[in-house]
Amino acid sequence: GGEAVFDFGHARLRDAAYEDIGLARRRLLHRRVAEVLRSGGRQDSARLAQIAGHELAAGRDAEAADAYREAGRLARAVFANREALEHFSAALALGHPDVVGLELAVGEVRTALGDYAGAIAALEAAAAVSEDSGLPSIELRLGRVHARRGDAQAAASHLDEALGGTTASPERAAILVERGAVALRAGDLPLARSLADDAATLATTLDDRRVDASVARLVGLVAHRAGDADAARHALRRSLELADAASDDDPGPAIAARNALALVEADEGDRAPAVA
């Protein structure tokens, strides 16, 4: 806009000027910078992390913690998981009051990064301070992590605990699916089939494509283990259709359905569609 812009010729000059400012004045200036950054431009993860840094330097820990949490959320949304982990951890370190939500977020990010031990530690920390109503959801997450690391016994224990603590239909359906998948991995086909039937019955009372997709995937995997390739293909193709039609942006259900369908095609000797 025609206004003059000033900058330092060398970083050391800037450092010297900064150190010469008194603490109170410095905090005021950081606060003003944070306010300017909030007022203009698109609020993305990097910008919010800048705001958090200035709020921290301004001595406003609560505002910095809020900005770090929001920065982590936006980073997670674009799968920038390492950045999200740094931001969520910073919010926790600054004493953000939403300990449960942040520990759950850390657990999800560490799971995505393959740090299952770290994910379990974060989820257990969330469980330690959660209200009873929130425990089934945490137990479900713990069951998923243990299943990923191959500990079927621990996964089954957490998922059974989750089933005993929830009556919420969408959450219960998700737990039934996860428990059925663990039973299938453990070689207990009758239990897996029973859980798939229970999940399918419950899904008919819901209007949730994500739940329907996950239930259809479990039904397909059970049929595959039972040796019914046609039924497996039918269920898994339906799972993929439902996952693709889901309204959210999470690609996970569609990836899981394609992976399961590829395994069925490969086991039946149809390599080309399995590769596709």
Side-chain angles (χ1 to χ4, degrees):
E3 296 181 0
V5 177
F6 297 89
D7 198 1
F8 291 95
H10 195 285
R12 297 293 293 174
L13 294 174
R14 181 177 63 244
D15 294 343
Y18 185 82
E19 292 299 326
D20 196 47
I21 300 173
L23 178 60
R25 176 69 176 169
R26 190 185 305 170
R27 285 185 169 183
L28 175 62
L29 292 174
H30 277 294
R31 181 174 177 176
R32 287 180 178 173
V33 173
E35 290 171 352
V36 169
L37 288 171
R38 276 199 179 91
S39 65
R42 181 169 171 263
Q43 298 300 306
D44 56 19
S45 175
R47 192 181 189 90
L48 282 163
Q50 277 189 311
I51 291 170
H54 284 292
E55 292 286 22
L56 186 59
R60 289 157 47 101
D61 289 4
E63 289 78 0
D66 281 336
Y68 274 127
R69 183 179 66 163
E70 186 64 12
R73 188 188 67 80
L74 292 178
R76 183 78 175 103
V78 295
F79 307 102
N81 293 316
R82 296 192 184 280
E83 288 82 353
L85 179 59
E86 291 179 3
H87 300 327
F88 289 140
S89 298
L92 278 169
L94 288 169
H96 196 285
D98 185 16
V99 176
V100 173
L102 284 167
E103 291 287 10
L104 289 177
V106 169
E108 291 177 354
V109 172
R110 288 195 181 279
T111 300
L113 292 170
D115 178 9
Y116 299 140
I120 290 169
L123 293 172
E124 289 178 345
V129 295
S130 173
E131 296 181 357
D132 290 346
S133 60
L135 289 176
S137 175
I138 299 174
E139 294 288 353
L140 169 59
R141 288 173 168 85
L142 281 165
R144 284 172 172 162
V145 177
H146 281 292
R148 283 195 177 203
R149 71 196 305 227
D151 190 341
Q153 185 175 357
S157 175
H158 284 290
L159 293 169
D160 288 340
E161 190 72 23
L163 281 173
T166 184
T167 57
S169 295
E171 185 174 61
R172 186 171 184 82
I175 298 168
L176 286 167
V177 169
E178 294 294 335
R179 184 66 182 90
V182 169
L184 201 59
R185 292 192 195 102
D188 193 341
L189 183 58
L191 177 58
R193 181 181 285 116
S194 174
L195 291 163
D197 291 342
D198 290 347
T201 300
L202 183 56
T204 60
T205 67
L206 307 171
D207 184 20
D208 191 322
R209 286 175 175 169
R210 282 178 59 87
V211 171
D212 289 340
S214 64
V215 170
R217 186 176 72 253
L218 177 59
V219 169
L221 291 172
V222 168
H224 176 229
R225 183 65 62 86
D228 190 342
D230 289 338
R233 285 190 180 102
H234 176 75
L236 292 172
R237 285 169 182 160
R238 180 171 179 271
S239 175
L240 181 56
E241 290 173 0
L242 289 165
D244 283 339
S247 59
D248 56 37
D249 296 325
D250 181 9
I255 292 171
R258 285 190 170 88
N259 186 57
L261 187 57
L263 292 174
V264 171
E265 298 288 13
D267 284 351
E268 294 302 310
D270 295 329
R271 295 178 62 83
V275 170

